[in-house]
Amino acid sequence: MQLKPQDFLVALKLVAWGDQRWTYARLAQELGLSASEAHASVKRGLLSGLLLQNRASAASNASAASAGAHALQEPQGIYRVTRKRVRRGAIPSEELGPLDNPVRVHAQALAEFALHGAKYAFPGVRLPLAVGVPTSHSAPAFAGVFAPGSTDFVWPHPNGSVRGMGVEPLHPSAPFAAMQDAKLYDMLALFDALRVGKARERNMAMERLQALIDPSAPAPSKELPRG
């Protein structure tokens, strides 16, 4: 099993959604993927440990499967089933939230991968000057941080408004997905700063990306300047 760029994109989208309830159809639509691609990405995310099975969802599936098997074994039996009411306070805290969602993000694992592994798995590729959507330190996530005049980085895109050094996006649909979701846009731009930015930009990107993916974790150690 090898992670693909869209798997990382899917995981970041789930971070952006937080506790929202979602469907595979909506996930695919907002990321510009097919439904089968979205399913496959979630499956690889589970295998890699970047995503976790929702316990409530897994328990519900297991109960349904058990009930179906019991019915097959005793087709002649007629039972009256009474649904047991469970107090919300009795449900473990990790099972609360969007119970309809099949998976959730493993924040610690995803943050570790985003900060220390993803730029090697999906390296940044610089492209010729182009008009496109601002990314890296040129994106809104860095607004007001760096003085004007530095080279802009963009994802080449026909609907773009900024001219700058082209950067190959994480996935071909990433610019489209970013324009639908401001938080996802921030994370993708910060990730690009890790891929193509200078030391100062990378340090700031690590801190901000960590805070978005895993807010409870301590701030990452900063990169020492070289030379």
Side-chain angles (χ1 to χ4, degrees):
M1 193 279 296
Q2 182 177 358
L3 280 175
K4 298 183 178 181
Q6 61 264 36
D7 305 340
F8 187 41
L9 179 63
V10 164
L12 293 180
K13 181 64 175 179
L14 296 185
V15 171
W17 272 344
D19 288 339
Q20 291 185 44
R21 292 183 175 180
W22 53 271
T23 63
Y24 280 103
R26 182 186 171 200
L27 181 64
Q29 181 180 16
E30 292 200 17
L31 292 181
L33 304 174
S34 67
S36 61
E37 284 178 317
H39 274 275
S41 287
V42 168
K43 183 177 180 180
R44 287 189 294 269
L46 286 168
L47 289 173
S48 67
L50 298 182
L51 304 178
L52 296 172
Q53 186 82 43
N54 258 344
R55 292 187 180 183
S57 176
S60 176
N61 292 339
S63 297
S66 176
H70 190 72
L72 289 173
Q73 292 171 2
E74 298 184 46
Q76 301 301 323
I78 299 177
Y79 301 90
R80 183 177 181 180
V81 179
T82 302
R83 175 178 293 179
K84 184 178 179 181
R85 298 184 66 182
V86 180
R87 292 183 297 107
R88 185 173 178 84
I91 303 175
S93 60
E94 64 268 21
E95 295 184 13
L96 296 177
L99 302 183
D100 291 346
N101 292 343
V103 300
R104 66 186 187 279
V105 170
H106 189 321
Q108 182 180 359
L110 181 60
E112 181 180 4
F113 178 67
L115 270 58
H116 304 294
K119 66 179 181 180
Y120 300 108
F122 317 122
V125 178
R126 297 193 183 194
L127 304 173
L129 287 171
V131 174
V133 178
T135 186
S136 185
H137 66 269
S138 306
F142 287 92
V145 175
F146 298 105
S150 57
T151 302
D152 284 320
F153 286 103
V154 302
W155 295 316
H157 196 276
N159 294 335
S161 58
V162 175
R163 182 175 178 80
M165 179 71 67
V167 177
E168 186 175 290
L170 171 67
H171 185 271
S173 68
F176 164 80
M179 288 186 282
Q180 318 302 312
D181 187 325
K183 187 173 182 180
L184 177 62
Y185 183 9
D186 284 350
M187 289 188 285
L188 289 171
L190 290 168
F191 175 59
D192 273 353
L194 294 180
R195 297 201 296 168
V196 300
K198 298 178 181 179
R200 184 186 174 197
E201 296 155 6
R202 291 196 298 270
N203 284 332
M204 187 167 294
M206 288 182 69
E207 186 175 343
R208 293 191 178 190
L209 195 54
Q210 172 86 69
L212 288 172
I213 298 175
D214 188 13
S216 62
S221 56
K222 293 187 177 181
E223 179 181 334
L224 295 175
R226 301 175 183 176

